[in-house]
Amino acid sequence: GAVVSQHPSWVICKSGTSVKIECRSLDFQATTMFWYRQFPKQSLMLMATSNEGSKATYEQGVEKDKFLINHASLTLSTLTVTSAHPEDSSFYICSASGQHEQFFGPGTRLTVL
Amino acid sequence: SQQGEEDPQALSIQEGENATMNCSYKTSINNLQWYRQNSGRGLVHLILIRSNEREKHSGRLRVTLDTSKKSSSLLITASRAADTASYFCATGYNFNKFYFGSGTKLNVKP
């Protein structure tokens, strides 16, 4: 299957700083990517749909000014957590749509101190 | 969860026994997928079933789908300790925007 990578795989930052997470589709072009968040012992929650060349579509309850999404190319989407707080600590997973399935990245664990 | 519930939330069985997990969803779909996740790791795709299919097999996995009841089940036969993980169903339409169920945490005791 297709490969989706995320960078970094884990990050620790101080409260108030911003953190950027990259999601790349390595062997195919993805016009649409998705960002999920998973709190400990919980399920994945869809945060937003990232569309190449246009604005992201956010799920209800997700602050678009806090979670900035940029999908500047067909192989790269970035999620920036701005002014991070400890409650933003979570596992962030991206996925990219292929023709017949979605391919998930390995996830990025964010810890905000 | 955004889409639906899975039950049981947790399941503990002995190696060799079968494990059955159920997933219910809310909206119209044209495909449903099952994933496993080891603690703190990424997702591993297990099996896809489309809305026009009622049952699908893959190795020790058997998935059923009842669109009239908006439910699916995952059966793992002859479980192994290595099957210990969390299992999630994910529903989608045209492989776009998947919503995940609440998950079942399976513990297979050796």
Side-chain angles (χ1 to χ4, degrees):
Chain A
V3 178
V4 175
S5 70
Q6 284 185 238
H7 178 80
S9 56
W10 59 270
V11 57
I12 301 173
C13 70
K14 292 183 178 179
S15 188
T17 61
S18 294
V19 174
K20 180 185 283 188
I21 303 169
E22 293 184 350
C23 175
R24 291 181 187 273
S25 56
L26 298 184
D27 51 1
F28 70 105
Q29 294 184 330
T31 54
T32 305
M33 291 184 173
F34 303 91
W35 287 97
Y36 297 83
R37 177 170 56 183
Q38 184 181 32
F39 292 110
K41 299 183 180 181
Q42 293 188 25
S43 185
L44 283 76
M45 299 291 290
L46 178 65
M47 299 175 67
T49 303
S50 172
N51 304 298
E52 188 267 335
S54 64
K55 291 182 179 180
T57 305
Y58 291 82
E59 294 295 303
Q60 191 173 12
V62 178
E63 300 174 60
K64 61 181 181 181
D65 294 329
K66 180 166 182 63
F67 299 99
L68 301 179
I69 291 172
N70 184 280
H71 194 153
S73 78
L74 288 171
T75 58
L76 173 64
S77 174
T78 61
L79 169 69
T80 301
V81 183
T82 62
S83 188
H85 289 279
E87 56 264 32
D88 297 324
S89 297
S90 188
F91 194 51
Y92 291 87
I93 301 175
C94 71
S95 70
S97 275
Q99 189 174 8
H100 298 296
E101 63 182 285
Q102 274 201 26
F103 302 97
F104 285 84
T108 296
R109 185 161 302 283
L110 169 64
T111 302
V112 184
L113 302 176
Chain B
S1 71
Q2 286 172 310
Q3 174 59 297
E5 300 302 318
E6 288 180 56
D7 76 272
Q9 289 186 350
L11 180 60
S12 185
I13 58 175
Q14 290 293 139
E15 207 166 27
E17 293 179 341
N18 295 341
T20 299
M21 291 159 261
N22 302 296
C23 162
S24 62
Y25 57 91
K26 299 173 184 173
T27 61
S28 296
I29 64 168
N30 64 6
N31 69 87
L32 183 146
Q33 307 198 35
W34 284 90
Y35 292 84
R36 67 173 277 167
Q37 184 182 38
N38 286 67
S39 181
R41 300 289 192 90
L43 297 170
V44 175
H45 181 259
L46 295 177
I47 196 166
L48 157 72
I49 187 165
R50 298 176 192 272
S51 58
N52 61 354
E53 298 174 308
R54 291 294 167 261
E55 187 171 313
K56 205 161 181 182
H57 297 254
S58 177
R60 293 184 296 114
L61 305 179
R62 172 178 167 257
V63 168
T64 63
L65 178 63
D66 187 335
T67 52
S68 66
K69 295 181 180 178
K70 289 189 166 60
S71 67
S72 173
S73 68
L74 170 67
L75 168 68
I76 303 174
T77 60
S79 63
R80 305 166 182 167
D83 294 329
T84 295
S86 291
Y87 291 82
F88 298 94
C89 67
T91 54
Y93 199 84
N94 290 333
F95 303 99
N96 192 12
K97 210 172 187 179
F98 280 4
Y99 291 107
F100 283 80
S102 52
T104 294
K105 189 168 185 178
L106 174 65
N107 179 34
V108 181
K109 294 177 282 188

